[in-house]
Amino acid sequence: MIVWTEFASPAADAAWRRQGSHHDLIERISTAHGFANKAACPWLKLAIFGDKRSPKGSLRHDANVLRITGIEADYDGEQVQPGEAVEMLERAQLKAIVYTSPSHKPDRPRWRVLAPCSEGLDPAVRPALVARLNGVLGGILAPESFTTSQAYYFGAVDGAPDYRVQVTFDDIEEGRCIDQLDELDDIAIGKPAAEPKTDRGDEGATVSADARMVSELRSALNALDADER
């Protein structure tokens, strides 16, 4: 069973704790439709929160995370397709859900990953687990993915037909939870250092960097496969 928390808005002044199987979580993500715009979409976090509020009244802050039940991460690089991410996650034997964000376009992909844990864990282990996921995906995750209390919108916005939800493996019972894959520490990639902003708009450099990281990742996963054999 997986426990997750939903918030109605970024303000997170109210929270709803949900519980279900991996299939139930997939169904929840897949059937969330009919939202007028991005701001109307709910937020989701694979964690259990307490009742401690921030000075602004929010329940969603790092000090209020009691346990994590999985990790969620964001990709906004607009180069790697969700299907490519699923392939890389499957190569790593990782049980996960990939769904597109409200700003996703087929030619400018943006998506999120949900990777459940086998049990509730101390929030202190989360950065290491996100680093595992980041390594599996070639180091392309957005830096905010490492924030303990970070949550993300989910659901399809009216007039935006490109919302997609994909899961690893045809049988959703296949795969292992992120905390069970200690071997992924060998390819883990931590939170990237902040890069200085420029006014060059060098999009080509971003494309090349993403392609290089994905290529290096596939080589690393091939090496892991060879070791297992």
Side-chain angles (χ1 to χ4, degrees), residues 25-83:
L25 179 58
I26 294 169
E27 283 294 300
R28 176 63 179 133
I29 301 295
S30 301
T31 58
H33 292 274
F35 300 104
N37 49 50
K38 176 179 176 179
C41 293
W43 284 50
L44 181 143
K45 179 70 179 176
L46 298 179
I48 300 171
F49 288 80
D51 56 7
K52 184 187 301 182
R53 295 183 179 274
S54 71
K56 293 184 178 181
S58 175
L59 291 167
R60 187 181 64 81
H61 57 96
D62 288 2
N64 198 37
V65 179
L66 302 180
R67 306 288 284 176
I68 64 164
T69 58
I71 59 173
E72 50 289 300
D74 182 53
Y75 171 73
D76 58 7
E78 300 186 345
Q79 303 300 324
V80 179
Q81 293 290 341

Side-chain angles (χ1 to χ4, degrees), residues 29-191:
I29 301 295
S30 301
T31 58
H33 292 274
F35 300 104
N37 49 50
K38 176 179 176 179
C41 293
W43 284 50
L44 181 143
K45 179 70 179 176
L46 298 179
I48 300 171
F49 288 80
D51 56 7
K52 184 187 301 182
R53 295 183 179 274
S54 71
K56 293 184 178 181
S58 175
L59 291 167
R60 187 181 64 81
H61 57 96
D62 288 2
N64 198 37
V65 179
L66 302 180
R67 306 288 284 176
I68 64 164
T69 58
I71 59 173
E72 50 289 300
D74 182 53
Y75 171 73
D76 58 7
E78 300 186 345
Q79 303 300 324
V80 179
Q81 293 290 341
E84 293 179 279
V86 169
E87 290 178 4
M88 290 186 280
L89 295 166
E90 287 181 341
R91 290 291 304 279
Q93 299 301 306
L94 186 61
K95 179 178 289 190
I97 304 167
V98 176
Y99 69 94
T100 54
S101 67
S103 56
H104 167 79
K105 301 293 181 186
D107 60 340
R108 299 175 62 184
R110 293 186 172 215
W111 38 264
R112 280 79 189 257
V113 183
L114 303 179
C117 293
S118 61
E119 60 181 343
L121 300 173
D122 189 309
V125 306
R126 190 178 183 279
L129 298 182
V130 179
R132 288 181 182 181
L133 181 62
N134 198 29
V136 167
L137 294 171
I140 62 174
L141 294 177
E144 58 267 25
S145 303
F146 287 84
T147 301
T148 299
S149 58
Q150 182 67 49
Y152 293 104
Y153 290 110
F154 70 97
V157 174
D158 284 342
D162 300 318
Y163 184 65
R164 298 173 60 193
V165 180
Q166 297 174 263
V167 298
T168 53
F169 308 107
D170 293 332
D171 181 351
I172 63 171
E173 298 305 318
E174 286 191 51
R176 296 161 65 194
C177 294
I178 186 75
D179 58 306
Q180 298 173 322
L181 291 164
D182 293 344
E183 61 269 28
L184 294 181
D185 287 338
D186 293 340
I187 59 170
I189 299 175
K191 182 178 180 179

